[in-house]
Amino acid sequence: VPIDSWLRNQLKPLAEDLLFASDLNEFGISKNELENCWQKHQNSTANNQYKIWVVMMLQLWRQRYM
């Protein structure tokens, strides 16, 4: 599954909405670290697809169940 590519293309708008819509400090996720992780992935200097995907799924879960 080409998650890394999807996050740079088709899923980019959704990912940005989910990643930066609310504060994730309660889960130990720093906004600065998340932004850094996202930028490195977008610039192709790091493949952070799994880290980003997990945070996206957390946010979708929060939207549905919290």
Side-chain angles (χ1 to χ4, degrees), residues 36-62:
N36 187 37
C37 179
W38 177 250
Q39 286 307 315
K40 286 181 178 180
H41 187 81
Q42 292 303 307
N43 296 334
S44 297
T45 56
N47 184 351
N48 293 320
Q49 66 181 335
Y50 298 116
K51 293 176 185 178
I52 294 167
W53 189 257
V54 167
V55 175
M56 288 175 62
M57 295 306 105
L58 171 64
Q59 289 290 67
L60 288 171
W61 178 85
R62 286 179 72 190

Side-chain angles (χ1 to χ4, degrees), residues 1 7 9 12 22-23 25 29 32 50 56 62 64:
V1 179
L7 291 171
N9 297 292
K12 184 176 180 179
S22 63
D23 188 20
N25 279 333
I29 300 171
N32 290 335
Y50 298 116
M56 288 175 62
R62 286 179 72 190
R64 182 165 185 154

